Amino acid sequence: EDQVVNGHDEKDNNPFAEYMWMENEEDFNRQVEEELQEQEFLDRCFQEMLEEEDQDWFIPSRDLPQGVGQLQQQLSGLSVGDSHGSEDILSKSTLNPDAKEFVPGVKY
């Protein structure tokens, strides 16, 4: 059987093998920092792109003056009159109901 000395197998050439990653710790840290900076840069670019896109969109509540927004709300509350109102309009009309139908481009 293999003999174990100080927690390492006798075959193990380098008892500090598990700590060898520390040799390149500065390179590893530099690489991680570069990746974090790149990610931060991409996030900022993406945020700027979204802000530019928002500026290109027309948003009535933001882009119209306040009075126009109120007018839009009033207009959206309006509805087409029911049939009773249209009968009143027809009874008061001075149009000729027997007139020929207007067709653009045709001369009578």
Side-chain angles (χ1 to χ4, degrees):
E1 291 190 23
D2 293 333
Q3 188 177 10
V4 176
V5 178
N6 293 333
H8 295 285
D9 290 339
E10 204 174 283
K11 291 191 270 184
D12 223 354
N13 295 341
N14 188 353
F16 301 104
E18 64 185 89
Y19 301 104
M20 292 306 290
W21 64 271
M22 291 181 174
E23 180 180 10
N24 299 324
E25 184 177 9
E26 290 177 10
D27 292 336
F28 177 77
N29 287 344
R30 192 175 311 113
Q31 180 183 0
V32 170
E33 283 181 24
E34 287 175 3
E35 289 174 4
L36 290 174
Q37 289 173 352
E38 182 177 339
Q39 184 62 41
E40 183 182 332
F41 175 74
L42 290 175
D43 290 344
R44 277 187 281 134
C45 288
F46 188 71
Q47 189 62 36
E48 287 177 13
M49 182 183 70
L50 289 176
E51 289 171 4
E52 286 176 8
E53 189 174 286
D54 281 346
Q55 291 172 0
D56 291 343
W57 285 90
F58 175 74
I59 302 171
S61 61
R62 179 192 71 191
D63 297 334
L64 290 177
Q66 188 173 2
V68 176
Q70 291 172 350
L71 181 62
Q72 275 188 323
Q73 288 177 346
Q74 291 173 352
L75 288 175
S76 66
L78 295 177
S79 62
V80 176
D82 57 11
S83 61
H84 300 297
S86 62
E87 288 175 3
D88 291 340
I89 293 172
L90 290 176
S91 65
K92 295 176 185 175
S93 173
T94 58
L95 296 176
N96 180 1
D98 298 324
K100 292 183 178 180
E101 182 178 348
F102 173 74
V103 180
V106 175
K107 294 183 180 181
Y108 296 100

